[in-house]
Amino acid sequence: MFDKIGPTSLYVLSQDDPHAPLLHLAAATDTHGSPETHATTEAHGGAEGHKGPFPPFDSSNFAGQLFWLAIFFGVLLIVMAKVALPRLKNIVEGRAERIASDLAEANRLKKETDDAIAAYEKTLGDARAEGHRIAAETHEKVAREADEHRKGLEADLNAKLEASEAQISATKSAALGNVRGIAVDAAGAIVERLTGRPAAGPDIERAVDASLAN
Amino acid sequence: MAGESPDPIHQFNIVPLVGDGPLAFTNSALFMAITTAVIIGFLLLATSSRTLVPSRLQSLAELGYEFVAKTVRDSAGNEGMKFFPFVFSLFMFILVSNMIGLIPYTFTVASHLIVTFALAMSVFLTVIIYGFIKNGSHFLKLFVPSGIPGYILPLVVLIEIISFFSRPISLSVRLFANMLAGHITLKVFAGFVTMLSGALGAVGLLVGILPLLLAVAITGLELLVAFLQAYVFTILTCIYLNDAIHPGH
């Protein structure tokens, strides 16, 4: 049985022309003529007798198939175009829009955050710079005040020093003046004792001055 | 002794179910109706809740929508989207009718050349009518590729015209032949199983495992073919529509 069917079926598989398998099957049944294949023949005979050679090429079916295809495909087309696809389009594009708007919102919020961070950092930087400035100013002011104070003190001290030096030199010259008078007196007394007579005042003064100058 | 004889052609017979005469409601019409009802029912059900986070059904519908929309956009550009309902209906109709046709005891709508030819002609006529409405006589530039030397131009134009007019034939025969051949193959291999067991009894059942496995494998292949043919029909439709929108290559 398998041997009988095998080649026939392979022929069916390899056929491009849909007419051919049937013809070949019919030929096979004729040559073998076993009861099984007779049944096949009868089935074919019934189909052929009722519907013609090969159903897909039976032109008596064409009008009906075209008619119903036009109706059902037409219905399908209208329902797709008017109801189903607009709905799907709304769903799909609505989601796309929703996602796009959500993304835009997220971007906007991110930008706001970035701006806030930038403003914060700017404020921080300003505060830092202000702090530096104040610190520098204070430092400078303190340094200047200290400097002024120091200069005042120095001037004061210098003045005092000068006054002291003047006093010293005055005292010194006064003292030196006293020394001359004493020396003149002493020299006059010495001369008077040695010579027995008072020496002339101007001579003694000249002599004392000369020895003081040495 | 006599197992059920495989008649691979029987499944393509058209039987009137309601009424009589050429416009009777046949099994073919019934399965067109079922296909249409399944598509419409599925899409209306899937889109009824319209949630932002889709349910499984809605996800499936969106998948189909985006898949076809992407195919149209990629092949025919954004202008092609005006034909989107048409292309989507074609894709769904072919896909769903093919899938339904793989269920045993059903009828495969696309296994009849007249159906696939009608679908192909609807594409072809859309291309021609829209092409002339939009581009006028400029549409004829489709047959005259630019940059061809004058002396072979007549030959090229002839080839272009022949290829253009063979489009509906190739489009319809491709789908039809795939469906027909696939279903015949399936039927033949499935028929082996019953014939072997009927003719050889227990031994036949044992040997019949081989064609059974093959039938299962071919069923898987046919699932792929059912989708692939729907996709091929769709993408070729888009490419042809692109010609109508942008003639002159």
Side-chain angles (χ1 to χ4, degrees):
Chain A
M1 193 63 208
F2 191 81
D3 289 339
K4 284 179 194 168
I5 296 297
T8 314
S9 306
L10 284 178
Y11 190 61
V12 171
L13 290 182
S14 65
Q15 272 307 314
D16 291 323
D17 180 1
H19 279 296
L22 196 75
L23 299 174
H24 196 81
L25 269 182
T29 56
D30 288 341
T31 47
H32 296 305
S34 64
E36 291 86 357
T37 45
H38 271 310
T40 313
T41 319
E42 275 161 26
H44 274 298
E48 282 167 23
H50 189 62
K51 286 290 168 192
F54 187 54
F57 291 122
D58 184 356
S59 59
S60 70
N61 292 322
F62 285 1
Q65 293 198 78
L66 286 177
F67 174 72
W68 291 109
L69 178 68
I71 288 180
F72 288 119
F73 192 72
V75 168
L76 181 68
L77 195 57
I78 290 167
V79 175
M80 290 298 109
K82 299 290 174 202
V83 186
L85 292 180
R87 273 199 201 176
L88 269 171
K89 188 179 159 132
N90 277 342
I91 291 172
V92 172
E93 293 187 358
R95 179 180 301 121
E97 271 168 26
R98 174 77 181 268
I99 289 171
S101 75
D102 281 3
L103 272 179
E105 175 74 3
N107 278 334
R108 194 182 63 73
L109 289 176
K110 184 173 179 299
K111 196 175 171 301
E112 264 180 20
T113 313
D114 287 350
D115 288 353
I117 289 174
Y120 163 76
E121 294 206 329
K122 189 174 174 300
T123 313
L124 195 66
D126 286 356
R128 198 171 277 145
E130 180 74 6
H132 277 302
R133 193 182 60 74
I134 290 171
E137 260 179 17
T138 311
H139 180 78
E140 196 187 337
K141 192 175 149 201
V142 168
R144 200 171 56 233
E145 278 175 359
D147 209 33
E148 277 171 5
H149 191 63
R150 187 175 55 80
K151 278 182 183 161
L153 275 178
E154 277 179 357
D156 216 20
L157 286 174
N158 282 341
K160 278 183 181 167
L161 203 62
E162 273 170 21
S164 302
E165 276 175 356
Q167 201 182 351
I168 287 168
S169 68
T171 310
K172 192 181 170 185
S173 61
L176 281 178
N178 291 342
V179 167
R180 186 178 172 266
I182 292 166
V184 169
D185 286 347
I190 291 166
V191 168
E192 197 176 336
R193 183 78 53 89
L194 287 177
T195 60
R197 53 176 177 113
D203 291 343
I204 291 170
E205 278 181 17
R206 215 178 301 124
V208 168
D209 285 338
S211 69
L212 275 176
N214 291 335
Chain B
M1 181 72 183
E4 194 190 326
S5 52
D7 176 9
I9 309 301
H10 179 259
Q11 58 181 324
F12 305 116
N13 280 347
I14 285 188
V15 191
L17 301 176
V18 180
D20 209 356
L23 298 187
F25 191 81
T26 59
N27 52 347
S28 165
L30 174 67
F31 279 94
M32 289 176 195
I34 291 174
T35 300
T36 305
V38 165
I39 299 169
I40 292 176
F42 161 62
L43 284 176
L44 293 192
L45 193 66
T47 57
S48 56
S49 57
R50 307 185 204 193
T51 50
L52 188 68
V53 178
S55 62
R56 285 183 206 184
L57 210 59
Q58 186 183 323
S59 197
L60 203 59
E62 286 178 21
L63 199 70
Y65 177 93
E66 304 223 321
F67 178 71
V68 180
K70 187 177 182 307
T71 308
V72 175
R73 277 204 196 93
D74 287 354
S75 305
N78 270 329
E79 266 188 272
M81 287 304 280
K82 68 180 67 162
F83 297 107
F84 179 62
F86 176 56
V87 178
F88 186 81
S89 301
L90 274 177
F91 176 73
M92 290 305 273
F93 190 82
I94 297 170
L95 177 68
V96 172
S97 68
N98 286 354
M99 289 295 179
I100 288 175
L102 278 175
I103 302 169
Y105 299 107
T106 57
F107 178 84
T108 311
V109 174
S111 68
H112 277 249
L113 184 57
I114 187 69
V115 174
T116 61
F117 187 69
L119 293 176
M121 278 310 285
S122 69
V123 174
F124 187 66
L125 291 177
T126 306
V127 168
I128 289 182
I129 294 170
Y130 181 78
F132 275 114
I133 288 176
K134 181 168 182 288
N135 306 296
S137 60
H138 191 69
F139 180 60
L140 294 174
K141 267 197 153 178
L142 187 63
F143 303 114
V144 191
S146 53
I148 302 288
Y151 55 92
I152 57 165
L153 196 60
L155 187 67
V156 172
V157 169
L158 187 69
I159 292 171
E160 290 282 342
I161 289 173
I162 292 172
S163 87
F164 183 81
F165 283 96
S166 59
R167 276 173 180 182
I169 299 165
S170 68
L171 198 56
S172 55
V173 170
R174 182 182 301 111
L175 175 57
F176 156 72
N178 269 285
M179 288 304 112
L180 186 83
H183 282 80
I184 290 176
T185 313
L186 260 183
K187 188 82 176 194
V188 165
F189 277 100
F192 281 171
V193 183
T194 57
M195 287 177 76
L196 280 169
S197 58
L200 303 176
V203 182
L205 267 180
L206 211 61
V207 181
I209 289 174
L210 281 175
L212 179 66
L213 289 178
L214 260 175
V216 171
I218 291 170
T219 307
L221 179 71
E222 283 306 306
L223 275 171
L224 178 71
V225 170
F227 167 77
L228 207 62
Q229 287 306 317
Y231 179 62
V232 166
F233 198 99
T234 308
I235 199 162
L236 285 174
T237 299
C238 294
I239 290 169
Y240 298 160
L241 287 172
N242 185 46
D243 280 347
I245 299 164
H246 314 106
H249 291 250

